[in-house]
């Protein structure tokens, strides 16, 4: 099984994914961003798109990597990854379904002011990341048009990552 944690930057995906992994037996965290980083390391570089998710190989490589890891280890993959383009989510979720891999899709949501505050206060990546801030409006648009209909929404505005993780783990167990 895959527990996919979606949502924009600052929603708490990375922190929450590690906590979810601790609560679900026989689970591992797989950050699909690493697949994108591998593609970014190709030299000379792939054609510039501004986001590795726009490269056609990224989506099937995420599916294939997840499938291969699950074939090898079994259990559950907890995957923290923002996917805001509906077509890309369909490609990934359909690819996983073709391999009979069940997916529990969660969106970690927070209001725009909370997200901006979290991004500004981030001591790891640094405050006011232009890349992260640029995704706030596309997230809001995806949430309004398709994303919240495709997932179980966990509002993280007023809860801790540990509380969000407990809600997700309880939903997966039920």
């Amino acid at each position: 099984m895959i527990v996919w944690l979606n949502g924009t930057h600052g929603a708490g995906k990375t922190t929450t994914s590690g906590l979810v992994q601790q609560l679900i037996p026989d689970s591992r965290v797989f950050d699909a961003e690493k697949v994108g980083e591998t593609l970014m390391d190709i030299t000379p570089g792939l054609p510039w798109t501004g986001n590795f998710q726009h490269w056609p190989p990224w989506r099937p490589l995420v599916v294939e990597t997840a499938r291969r890891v699950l074939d090898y280890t079994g259990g559950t993959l907890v995957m923290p990854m923002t996917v805001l383009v509906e077509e890309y989510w369909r490609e990934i979720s359909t690819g996983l379904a073709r391999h009979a891999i069940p997916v529990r899709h969660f969106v970690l949501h927070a209001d725009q002011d909370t997200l901006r505050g979290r991004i500004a206060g981030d001591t790891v990546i640094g405050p006011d990341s232009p890349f992260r801030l640029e995704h706030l409006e596309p997230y809001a648009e995806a949430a309004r048009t398709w994303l919240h209909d495709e997932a179980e929404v966990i509002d993280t505005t007023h809860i801790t990552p540990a509380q969000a993780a407990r809600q997700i783990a309880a939903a997966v167990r039920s």
Side-chain angles (χ1 to χ4, degrees), residues 23-165:
L23 297 171
I24 297 177
D26 195 26
S27 65
R28 292 168 173 73
V29 174
F30 166 44
D31 188 343
E33 188 166 328
K34 301 300 182 189
V35 174
E37 290 173 5
T38 297
L39 292 173
M40 290 187 315
D41 285 343
I42 293 173
T43 54
L46 298 177
W48 175 251
T49 63
N51 183 333
F52 60 72
Q53 289 189 15
H54 300 319
W55 286 326
W58 180 77
R59 298 171 303 276
L61 284 170
V62 167
V63 170
E64 187 63 17
T65 304
R67 178 182 78 85
R68 295 286 180 153
V69 170
L70 286 171
D71 283 352
Y72 180 62
T73 64
T76 300
L77 288 181
V78 180
M79 296 182 63
M81 186 72 225
T82 300
V83 179
L84 301 180
V85 177
E86 183 177 10
E87 177 185 343
Y88 298 173
W89 175 251
R90 299 260 177 258
E91 188 175 339
I92 291 167
S93 60
T94 300
L96 294 167
R98 273 193 214 110
H99 295 292
I101 300 170
V103 177
R104 290 293 296 266
H105 185 198
F106 295 89
V107 171
L108 301 185
H109 174 79
D111 63 54
Q112 293 281 315
D113 290 339
T114 299
L115 293 168
R116 288 181 188 284
R118 289 178 185 169
I119 291 168
D122 190 321
T123 58
V124 176
I125 296 177
D128 301 323
S129 162
F131 181 83
R132 295 166 75 189
L133 291 169
E134 288 168 5
H135 283 80
L136 294 180
E137 185 49 42
Y139 166 73
E141 178 65 17
R144 276 191 301 274
T145 58
W146 71 273
L147 184 58
H148 283 195
D149 294 334
E150 292 289 321
E152 299 169 64
V153 178
I154 307 290
D155 191 333
T156 67
T157 303
H158 301 292
I159 64 173
T160 66
Q163 290 169 317

